[in-house]
Amino acid sequence: MWGQPPPAVRWAQPGHAARKCFIIRAAPLIGPEHNLVTTLARQLRATDYFTLGWGTMVGVGWLVIMDDWLLRGGALGALLGFAIGGALLLPIGWVYGKLVVAMPDAAGEIAYTSAVFPRSISFATGWMMTLAYFIVCPWEAVAVGRIAGYIFPGLDSVELYRIAGRPVYLPHLVIGLALTALLTLLNYRGIRLSATFQNWTSFGTLALFVVFVALGVSRGSPANFQPLFTHTPLVSILLVIQVVPYFMTGFESVGKAAEEASPDFRTQRFFRTIWMAIVIGTLFYASIVAAVAFVAPWRQLTGEKFMTAVAFQQAVRSRWIVNIILAAALLSLFKCFNGNFVAASRLFFALGRRGMVDARAGAIHAHHQTPSTAVLCVGLATASCMLLGDAILVPITEVGSVACAIGWSAACAACLALPRSRPGLMKLSVAERAVAAFGLAVGIAMALMKVIPLVPGHFTVYEWIALGVWIALGAISRRTRTANAQT
């Protein structure tokens, strides 16, 4: 056993069997229902893990803030930024594949780091990764109101208040809260319901994406790509790479549901689904940037609301293609919201199960076999944060990028340290160590480029405030938990 192992999980001894399964034993935890908690339900298949990884990664940024991407880098700069950024994540994806096969634990980075590092580092890593997933949930809850307002302009009414000069409308809040409640209910009642929802929305998004891109690019022109860069080529690409971690976060969410794999699931498939999520996610982002820049003169449209939809509408000269795009966006939003909800609730559950936050967060529902308390906490926190409205959209992407880059770095560092501290758990060849070291360097670089003042696109005061609030909440949670344990 290493660090603070989850009380409901005992790993098999190294060897062939260890690569195939993990052994579950009942945990002496009592949930809100006052019944003995057993284990999380084991019902997920390979398709479910792919749609979780890819679906968690791709949301509606391609519709809501496409203008921000293009203004950062230009047409070619944004395309190369996502292509290069995605390629740089492949070594990190390889590391996660190795780790989740060795330790299929819902704790994810918490489990990986606790095997080799002090408990404080494990908690800090898990807390930052929880932020990386959770912060997407209010983002999507706010975005659904904006999309609904675009479809039905009458919803942009009944202004309640303003934050950073942006209005917060009552209908937007109602829609966002309703979606949050729906996903909270789905995840509370069972992972199978959540996975089915994720599958339909993921493949529906891909199908609609192929349709509207194929129709739109037939009317475009290479001349629309100008300007290729908004700054010097290097700075343009760098400014886009800075936000890639936020928009590509999700492939590692596969590990957070590792304990919910069906009994006949082979753990080697974790590795494949993670890599598929990264590759298809990179292709998706690069393709949509190229398509938008190709179908219309993008520089003239950067002031438009939902620039992606406007660009395709101008190319086809019809409103019906906008309806297809908005339908794809809504499906994409639902799956991204749900995927990040799953990952955030599992990490919060893992923190509670390991005694790093209030132990009640580690409770499992006796009937539904879901981390019910963690699910409810994530749902309530999402509803609270979305009250900030549209003003949170861009700052969230910045803070989320740093949070996940920190988590990726810690996972790569743990992968490098495991063969020495736990040789029976993992072995790495010289080439494999080089891959993990490169992944560590990428993760550190992605974090530093947002916090070093000399780098273009670094944190503003708003991002520092948001990050500081989260760190303070973590310190309070940990101190409160420690004080309770001592009494």
Side-chain angles (χ1 to χ4, degrees):
M1 306 294 276
W2 59 86
Q4 293 293 326
V9 179
R10 175 169 59 85
W11 304 111
Q13 292 300 314
H16 181 72
R19 293 191 298 269
K20 296 293 184 182
C21 66
F22 54 94
I23 302 170
I24 303 294
R25 60 180 171 85
L29 296 176
I30 303 297
E33 298 76 17
H34 304 293
N35 291 320
L36 183 66
V37 173
T38 54
T39 61
L40 296 171
R42 301 183 61 189
Q43 299 179 340
L44 299 184
R45 302 180 293 267
T47 300
D48 303 323
Y49 282 112
F50 166 71
T51 57
L52 175 62
W54 180 78
T56 302
M57 183 187 304
V58 178
V60 291
W62 56 271
L63 174 69
V64 177
I65 55 173
M66 175 63 73
D67 54 345
D68 178 66
W69 298 351
L70 289 170
L71 287 173
R72 283 172 180 268
L76 186 57
L79 190 158
L80 290 176
F82 275 104
I84 295 171
L88 290 174
L89 296 184
L90 287 173
I92 298 176
W94 178 88
V95 166
Y96 272 93
K98 293 286 289 187
L99 289 170
V100 73
V101 169
M103 290 179 279
D105 190 319
E109 293 82 3
I110 304 170
Y112 312 149
T113 52
S114 67
V116 292
F117 300 131
R119 185 176 173 85
S120 58
I121 292 179
S122 180
F123 170 77
T125 302
W127 190 249
M128 293 306 294
M129 283 305 294
T130 302
L131 172 64
Y133 295 118
F134 164 70
I135 208 169
V136 179
C137 296
W139 199 103
E140 302 296 345
V142 169
V144 71
R146 291 192 68 192
I147 295 173
Y150 187 78
I151 300 173
F152 305 105
L155 296 177
D156 292 342
S157 60
V158 193
E159 181 179 327
L160 298 177
Y161 49 87
R162 286 177 175 259
I163 294 182
R166 294 178 176 268
V168 176
Y169 299 113
L170 177 61
H172 290 199
L173 284 181
V174 172
I175 293 170
L177 290 172
L179 178 58
T180 301
L182 172 63
L183 294 185
T184 301
L185 179 63
L186 281 177
N187 283 280
Y188 184 89
R189 292 187 60 83
I191 190 62
R192 187 65 258 160
L193 279 174
S194 180
T196 301
F197 178 86
Q198 191 76 0
N199 291 343
W200 279 100
T201 51
S202 293
F203 290 116
T205 300
L206 283 171
L208 291 175
F209 170 76
V210 170
V211 169
F212 77 74
V213 168
L215 292 171
V217 297
S218 63
R219 311 289 180 87
S221 168
N224 293 330
F225 267 86
Q226 298 296 330
L228 299 181
F229 301 99
T230 52
H231 307 81
T232 63
L234 180 60
V235 171
S236 297
I237 295 171
L238 178 65
L239 288 172
V240 177
I241 289 178
Q242 286 179 339
V243 297
V244 165
Y246 174 79
F247 292 103
M248 294 289 285
T249 298
F251 62 88
E252 72 292 326
S253 65
V254 168
K256 281 64 177 183
E259 291 181 34
E260 295 163 272
S262 63
D264 59 344
F265 182 87
R266 298 179 59 187
T267 55
Q268 290 296 334
R269 293 178 182 173
F270 285 130
F271 196 99
R272 299 171 191 168
T273 55
I274 289 173
W275 264 52
M276 282 183 63
I278 294 175
V279 171
I280 296 179
T282 302
L283 291 175
F284 180 94
Y285 281 122
S287 298
I288 191 63
V289 168
V292 170
F294 183 76
V295 299
W298 67 267
R299 188 74 188 204
Q300 300 175 18
L301 303 177
T302 52
E304 297 284 347
K305 186 178 183 180
F306 297 143
M307 174 184 168
T308 300
V310 174
F312 277 89
Q313 183 177 7
Q314 284 197 9
V316 178
R317 301 184 183 281
S318 177
R319 174 75 184 185
W320 59 265
I321 197 167
V322 174
N323 296 331
I324 296 177
I325 293 172
L326 293 177
L330 286 173
L331 288 177
S332 189
L333 183 151
F334 295 157
K335 68 175 178 51
C336 186
F337 193 166
N338 184 64
N340 280 281
F341 196 108
V342 170
S345 60
R346 269 52 180 182
L347 270 181
F348 192 55
F349 157 75
L351 287 168
R353 187 172 63 178
R354 289 169 175 259
M356 294 180 173
V357 296
D358 194 308
R360 288 174 292 184
I364 299 175
H365 195 284
H367 176 66
H368 300 305
Q369 290 184 279
T370 58
S372 52
T373 304
V375 166
L376 292 175
C377 288
V378 172
L380 290 172
T382 297
S384 300
C385 289
M386 70 162 294
L387 298 177
L388 296 174
D390 292 1
I392 68 173
L393 293 182
V394 173
I396 276 181
T397 66
E398 307 284 3
V399 177
S401 291
V402 170
C404 61
I406 291 172
W408 293 342
S409 301
C412 290
C415 184
L416 287 168
L418 272 171
R420 294 180 180 176
S421 60
R422 307 284 177 174
L425 190 63
M426 179 185 291
K427 294 181 180 179
L428 297 178
S429 66
V430 174
E432 289 174 330
R433 288 186 62 83
V435 171
F438 183 74
L440 175 59
V442 169
I444 293 174
M446 286 184 167
L448 291 178
M449 72 173 62
K450 293 305 299 177
V451 299
I452 296 178
L454 296 178
V455 179
H458 60 81
F459 268 15
T460 66
V461 64
Y462 298 107
E463 284 83 34
W464 280 116
I465 290 173
L467 185 61
V469 168
W470 185 255
I471 292 173
L473 287 174
I476 293 170
S477 298
R478 184 162 173 77
R479 178 167 294 185
T480 302
R481 177 66 187 118
T482 302
N484 292 338
Q486 291 174 347
T487 56

